[in-house]
Amino acid sequence: MPLKGTLTLPGDKSISHRTVMLAALSDQRSKVNNLSNGKDVKSTISCLKNCGIDIEYSTGSYFVNGGRFKQPITDLDCGNSGTTMRLLIGLLAGQGIDANFIGDKSLSNRPMERIIDPLKKMGLNIKSNKTMPPIHISKSKLKGIDYVMPIASAQLKSSILLAALGAKSNTTIKENIVSRDHTEIMLKNIGVNLYRKSGSIFVEPCNKFLPQNISVPADPSTAAFFIGAAVLSPRSKLLITNLLLNETRIGFLRALEKMGCSFNYRNIRNVSGEKIGDLEVRYHKLFGIEINKSDIPSIIDEIPILALIASQAEGTTIVSGAEELRVKESDRLEAICRNLKAIGINVIEKSDGFIIKGGSKIQSGDVQTFDDHRIAMTFHIASVISGKEIKLDNAECVNISFPAFFKTIENIIR
Ligand code: S3P
């Protein structure tokens, strides 16, 4: 069945986390509209409130009065959110706070060594459970660091950048593959002296921050599920308004263009350093492609839905260099391949990706979500485009990023 209509989606999750964290640094009142309403961003808000930051919600807007962090008296519960934990550890380290960070079952098994190593080098007293949460940090005098990123990770980069604000000296981070750059854009907006030169980011310590007045653009990682459903359903025509089109986030759109899709971009504009626009999506016949390591950061969260799309394209799709997917909310390479097989798709799992032979018909089946929101959404889309019954063992996990997911897709099926 075709998908038709105009979608106005909730704010980007990455920008939402960062907006409230950076607003917490300013001693003036910030106003934020269209904040992500998923559980992950709620985790960030509740951790900041536990650190004495005043955050109120009133008629569609969040108001943040920050500037003074207090020692939290309870554990900071980051729930399912790696972004909350990794970024807040850096932020609170820079503000001289003692804190204990905990998470749910999935987050408690995610690697934290990546942030522990550079933050220790900056002088932070940080303890973990064999490099995993719970993580405890104690007030420490930090110094700047010259750091070469061992992996492309915006969470790692951002954790260091936020800690660097409270260091005694400047910090330099060299990225071989550029990951999402919202932290850099937003730090500049709030008055931090930060610039990029020949592949490195330079940042100076800072203790006076400007407030923000922003409306968060729609999340391209959430939009990807609707875009995927539309390109696979004949006669579809969707308009997604106010969509974040930052170059570090649109690897999914670029991949679909390589597969044979063409999009109509309208109203392209730059708002506070972020590229935003409206995107018109229609059904297209698609062909297999190759995605490799240098493409991965800009499509990292969209690989599950891309895999489903590849299964309906003509020819073979090969994804490689994607081993980071094994340490997301679930082992996403395993989750993708296991569940594609369960609905009749020809897929071979590799240690760093997969190979999908397109063109198989989707069958009914039972899907194990591993409590991962992006796996649940991907396989619900499989059911929408095929009309087959696909049972999710945990449909509720979509609440992590987009509680209205099922209702929204229902509303555009014509
Ligand atoms: C995010 C960075 C990415 C992404 C995650 C959000 C961020 O994680 O997968 O969903 O907001 O910085 P990594 O930094 O682990 O690649």
Side-chain angles (χ1 to χ4, degrees):
M1 268 190 293
L3 301 180
K4 290 195 171 157
T6 299
L7 285 182
T8 307
L9 296 170
D12 180 62
K13 190 152 79 73
S14 291
I15 294 185
S16 295
H17 283 297
R18 286 156 173 81
T19 302
V20 280
M21 287 188 202
L22 299 191
L25 287 169
S26 174
D27 59 8
Q28 297 171 63
R29 186 172 156 96
S30 292
K31 181 178 177 189
V32 190
N33 285 333
N34 204 37
L35 197 75
S36 161
N37 60 351
K39 276 168 102 178
D40 269 5
V41 174
K42 296 242 157 55
S43 294
T44 291
I45 292 173
S46 91
C47 289
L48 287 169
K49 282 184 171 172
N50 268 332
C51 295
I53 304 299
D54 174 24
I55 305 176
E56 291 158 36
Y57 178 79
S58 170
T59 55
S61 305
Y62 279 87
F63 296 92
V64 183
N65 287 295
R68 242 173 303 136
F69 288 84
K70 289 195 202 130
Q71 306 294 344
I73 37 178
T74 53
D75 288 343
L76 297 181
D77 188 349
C78 304
N80 189 246
S81 174
T83 309
T84 305
M85 188 174 282
R86 294 189 177 122
L87 270 62
L88 265 188
I89 288 174
L91 180 86
L92 296 183
Q95 301 306 308
I97 297 295
D98 294 339
N100 199 47
F101 295 82
I102 59 168
D104 70 3
K105 195 167 146 237
S106 150
L107 185 54
S108 299
N109 284 297
R110 293 183 67 184
M112 293 295 149
E113 196 165 46
R114 53 188 63 193
I115 61 160
I116 293 172
D117 171 59
L119 293 177
K120 255 192 187 159
K121 287 190 176 129
M122 293 175 84
L124 181 67
N125 187 344
I126 179 166
K127 294 200 170 64
S128 66
N129 173 23
K130 297 189 189 118
T131 77
M132 289 191 191
I135 305 277
H136 187 82
I137 63 169
S138 322
K139 183 176 172 142
S140 316
K141 281 207 172 94
L142 302 187
K143 52 183 187 296
I145 188 175
D146 284 341
Y147 195 67
V148 180
M149 295 281 292
I151 45 169
S153 160
Q155 293 179 354
L156 165 57
K157 172 175 64 175
S158 303
S159 186
I160 299 171
L161 286 173
L162 295 174
L165 299 175
K168 287 269 167 292
S169 48
N170 297 345
T171 288
T172 308
I173 302 176
K174 185 165 175 43
E175 278 188 294
N176 293 318
I177 307 177
V178 178
S179 59
R180 67 191 66 191
D181 59 357
H182 311 302
T183 307
E184 295 92 300
I185 291 172
M186 293 172 81
L187 283 174
K188 281 201 247 178
N189 290 345
I190 61 165
V192 174
N193 190 10
L194 177 149
Y195 60 95
R196 193 180 273 274
K197 204 175 152 195
S198 40
S200 289
I201 306 159
F202 297 83
V203 64
E204 281 181 10
C206 186
N207 58 17
K208 186 90 193 111
F209 304 92
L210 297 170
Q212 301 166 72
N213 185 348
I214 87 161
S215 177
V216 182
D219 193 327
S221 302
T222 298
F225 297 102
F226 301 95
I227 296 169
V231 297
L232 293 175
S233 307
R235 294 179 290 112
S236 291
K237 186 178 164 195
L238 270 190
L239 182 69
I240 302 177
T241 60
N242 202 34
L243 182 64
L244 175 68
L245 293 172
N246 177 313
E247 290 298 323
T248 64
R249 294 292 300 281
I250 55 163
F252 175 70
L253 298 181
R254 283 193 290 262
L256 287 183
E257 282 169 342
K258 271 213 279 183
M259 295 176 95
C261 221
S262 66
F263 297 112
N264 239 328
Y265 295 90
R266 297 191 200 147
N267 281 325
I268 299 290
R269 55 209 184 268
N270 183 307
V271 182
S272 310
E274 292 287 4
K275 187 172 165 187
I276 298 170
D278 302 340
L279 182 78
E280 194 184 87
V281 188
R282 287 168 190 261
Y283 164 78
H284 281 86
K285 177 160 175 49
L286 301 177
F287 301 89
I289 52 164
E290 281 188 28
I291 304 254
N292 54 46
K293 198 171 183 73
S294 61
D295 304 315
I296 297 296
S298 68
I299 192 174
I300 184 106
D301 294 334
E302 292 79 37
I303 295 287
I305 183 68
L306 183 90
L308 175 70
I309 295 167
S311 78
Q312 301 308 297
E314 188 181 310
T316 301
T317 293
I318 304 174
V319 171
S320 63
E323 56 278 1
E324 269 293 301
L325 265 81
R326 296 217 180 265
V327 290
K328 292 291 173 192
E329 288 86 324
S330 68
D331 175 342
R332 284 194 178 149
L333 292 180
E334 185 194 345
I336 291 167
C337 296
R338 183 193 182 288
N339 289 316
L340 283 179
K341 281 182 198 152
I343 59 167
I345 305 301
N346 185 335
V347 55
I348 302 170
E349 184 176 340
K350 298 279 182 186
S351 61
D352 66 340
F354 48 76
I355 301 171
I356 291 174
K357 203 156 160 262
S360 314
K361 272 221 159 94
I362 292 170
Q363 313 290 335
S364 298
D366 288 346
V367 158
Q368 201 180 333
T369 59
F370 300 92
D371 306 324
D372 182 333
H373 55 133
R374 302 208 196 273
I375 299 300
M377 292 187 196
T378 296
F379 287 90
H380 182 66
I381 297 296
S383 159
V384 167
I385 60 167
S386 63
K388 292 278 157 52
E389 193 188 352
I390 294 177
K391 278 202 201 120
L392 307 177
D393 65 352
N394 176 4
E396 272 199 4
C397 61
V398 303
N399 292 339
I400 286 295
S401 57
F402 188 26
F405 172 73
F406 294 108
K407 209 166 59 192
T408 305
I409 192 94
E410 199 58 42
N411 283 341
I412 54 172
I413 298 175
R414 292 293 135 83

